[in-house]
Amino acid sequence: MRTHTSAGALPAREHLPAGESGAPVPVLDVVIPVHNEEKDLEACVLRLHEHLDRTFPYAFRITVADNASTDRTPDIADRLGRVMAEVASVRLEQKGRGRALRAVWERSDAPVLAYMDVDLSTDLKALLPLVAPLISGHSDLAIGSRLAGGSRVVRGPKREFVSRTYNLILRSSLAARFSDAQCGFKAIRADVAERLLPMVEDTGWFFDTEMLVLAERAGLRIHEVPVDWVDDPDSTVHIVRTAVDDLRGVWRVGRALAVGALPLDRLARPFGDDPRDRTIGGLPGGLARQLVGFCVVGALSTLAYLVLYSVFRAGAGAQVANALALLVSAVGNTAANRRLTFGVRGRERAVRHQAQGLVVFGIGLALTSGSLAALEAAAGAPSHGTELAVLIAANLAATVLRFLLFRAWVFPDRRTDQPEMKTKIKKAAL
């Protein structure tokens, strides 16, 4: 898997500035990947150009990405580029839809990048609703969905079965929540693409599925647009071969996610993109979200701890049962808070974080064990219910301390790990 990306998390999304039609830098770059499409290419580009020119309020570009065509496709693309200023063409000597999208998107100067299939099966009325949330700063990616409520689809039972089965596989194996991975009608913000594309390995039809899965796992916002879609009976997509390649991709991505091989934390957005969130003084960034996450994890950990304590207590003394239950729940608590509360993903520093978590565990053990010892000294042989009540109170005190230590020591703000941030902190301290 590709893992190289620029350091640091993504900045807050901002509304893109409005541009004039015909401006030198387009707001939207629509890519049409093609291979031997001499029959449909010209009609597609003319129809798309007319629609954008008539309805799209920003400057735009249409880029034809030719995937090693052997017919007249590249000549037609070049001719369209000469007669229409908003049309460009790119020639690639290797096939692959993902390869074509990556090649164009990585070089494009437009802040919003999109693509659609040359058959224009998707009604173009969905194009503005697709890219509007990206322009406004509301979302990071947008997809057209044939399976969302409100969509209208005309296609045969074979393709309907394949599409629904594939999306069911994604939901069950990769926990995907988006409804339609294969619709050839998608868009992405360029700042997201810059970080996300280097992590996407596939160069064929699985490219956009992999892109969506990684984006969703990183916590990026994916906007879905119900579309009107009519199946192209002359489509050249080989269903069986594509399905096999997709299943291989599902296995590869699932394995990479399971072992934490991707630095998805570099795609994280700050909590609260509203500028008002950044003007509140005296409140550390992300504190509200972290408190909520920590409380949820803490509540589940406490339940697990109490169950484990009751199980261990049946065969051991109170102190031994407390230590074992706290140790097991502490390891799970550290792992859950690492990922869910403080947004740290991947294997980097995982062992160190667990070691620091065990130190925090030791402090909690001292508090709870001390409370048990004090109870036994005062009551002699307390009941099991009294022991649990004392342990709950001691754990509440330990929880507050655990959060402070996690936030300040175990999982400090990752921005302070960056060299430029460290330099600023040192200068401020002088």
Side-chain angles (χ1 to χ4, degrees):
M1 299 291 294
R2 294 181 173 88
T3 58
H4 173 71
T5 60
S6 302
L10 285 165
R13 289 183 296 264
E14 299 288 349
H15 194 304
L16 298 176
E20 297 294 332
S21 180
V25 178
V27 170
L28 173 66
D29 194 347
V30 182
V31 181
I32 305 175
V34 292
H35 174 72
N36 291 343
E37 297 287 355
E38 63 179 5
K39 176 182 176 182
D40 299 324
L41 178 58
E42 183 168 359
C44 165
V45 172
L46 291 176
R47 179 181 165 195
L48 176 59
H49 184 276
E50 187 276 333
H51 176 83
L52 288 170
D53 188 56
R54 178 171 50 86
T55 66
F56 194 68
Y58 298 92
F60 65 88
R61 178 192 301 129
I62 301 171
T63 302
V64 179
D66 174 47
N67 289 249
S69 293
T70 56
D71 61 2
R72 296 178 50 252
T73 296
D75 296 331
I76 296 172
D78 288 341
R79 176 169 56 79
L80 291 171
R82 289 194 298 270
V83 299
M84 288 184 284
E86 295 85 5
V87 177
S89 63
V90 175
R91 166 76 176 181
L92 287 84
E93 298 302 328
Q94 292 178 290
K95 291 179 62 176
R97 181 177 69 173
R99 179 179 287 109
L101 293 177
R102 183 196 306 279
V104 177
W105 283 356
E106 288 182 340
R107 301 171 190 169
S108 180
D109 54 357
V112 176
L113 311 167
Y115 93 88
M116 61 182 62
D117 293 334
V118 69
D119 56 20
L120 294 186
S121 294
T122 304
D123 192 328
L124 292 177
K125 293 186 182 71
L127 183 54
L128 185 55
L130 182 81
V131 300
L134 310 187
I135 293 173
S136 70
H138 174 271
S139 301
D140 298 293
L141 298 92
I143 64 173
S145 175
R146 298 161 296 185
L147 303 178
S151 61
R152 296 185 298 177
V153 177
V154 178
R155 60 178 167 182
K158 181 179 178 180
R159 288 184 177 272
E160 181 76 12
F161 174 78
V162 170
S163 178
R164 290 188 178 275
T165 301
Y166 180 63
N167 283 283
L168 180 61
I169 291 173
L170 291 180
R171 287 176 177 271
S172 59
S173 61
L174 298 178
R177 296 189 298 274
F178 47 85
S179 65
D180 191 352
Q182 294 179 311
C183 182
F185 198 71
K186 296 181 175 71
I188 184 172
R189 284 177 65 102
D191 56 346
V192 176
E194 181 182 4
R195 301 287 186 88
L196 180 56
L197 294 186
M199 299 184 195
V200 179
E201 184 173 323
D202 192 80
T203 59
W205 291 94
F206 187 69
F207 172 86
D208 36 356
T209 298
E210 184 173 355
M211 178 179 69
L212 289 173
V213 169
L214 298 186
E216 186 174 74
R217 287 299 186 94
L220 297 180
R221 182 175 293 159
I222 301 174
H223 178 73
E224 294 199 16
V225 179
V227 298
D228 297 340
W229 194 87
V230 179
D231 186 25
D232 178 12
D234 299 324
S235 175
T236 58
V237 178
H238 193 291
I239 296 179
V240 176
R241 185 192 315 136
T242 301
V244 172
D245 291 341
D246 287 346
L247 291 176
R248 290 173 179 167
V250 169
W251 168 256
R252 174 177 52 79
V253 172
R255 182 176 56 185
L257 292 172
V259 300
L262 294 166
L264 298 180
D265 57 304
R266 297 178 185 177
L267 294 171
R269 289 285 194 189
F271 181 75
D273 288 345
D274 192 319
R276 292 173 296 180
D277 296 340
R278 302 191 291 275
T279 61
I280 301 175
L283 185 65
L287 178 59
R289 177 186 58 80
Q290 290 176 355
L291 279 172
V292 172
F294 185 82
C295 288
V296 172
V297 172
L300 296 176
S301 298
T302 300
L303 290 175
Y305 163 79
L306 293 175
V307 171
L308 290 170
Y309 176 79
S310 297
V311 172
F312 294 143
R313 186 68 175 87
Q319 293 288 3
V320 174
N322 174 62
L324 290 175
L326 198 58
L327 176 60
V328 174
S329 61
V331 172
N333 181 280
T334 300
N337 275 305
R338 181 178 189 269
R339 180 178 179 85
L340 302 177
T341 303
F342 298 97
V344 180
R345 294 175 172 84
R347 292 177 291 182
E348 185 179 1
R349 298 186 180 181
V351 175
R352 175 181 173 180
H353 290 156
Q354 281 293 349
Q356 291 173 308
L358 288 177
V359 174
V360 177
F361 150 76
I363 297 174
L365 177 62
L367 285 173
T368 54
S369 297
S371 299
L372 279 177
L375 176 63
E376 291 174 353
S383 66
H384 182 63
T386 304
E387 285 182 353
L388 288 179
V390 170
L391 287 174
I392 290 173
N395 267 289
L396 288 175
T399 297
V400 176
L401 182 59
R402 186 184 304 122
F403 176 76
L404 296 175
L405 289 173
F406 272 177
R407 182 177 172 85
W409 179 49
V410 183
F411 307 111
D413 191 338
R414 292 189 301 278
R415 290 173 297 179
T416 60
D417 291 338
Q418 303 301 321
E420 54 272 12
M421 182 61 70
K422 291 180 178 179
T423 302
K424 292 180 181 179
I425 293 175
K426 288 180 180 179
K427 289 182 178 179
L430 295 177

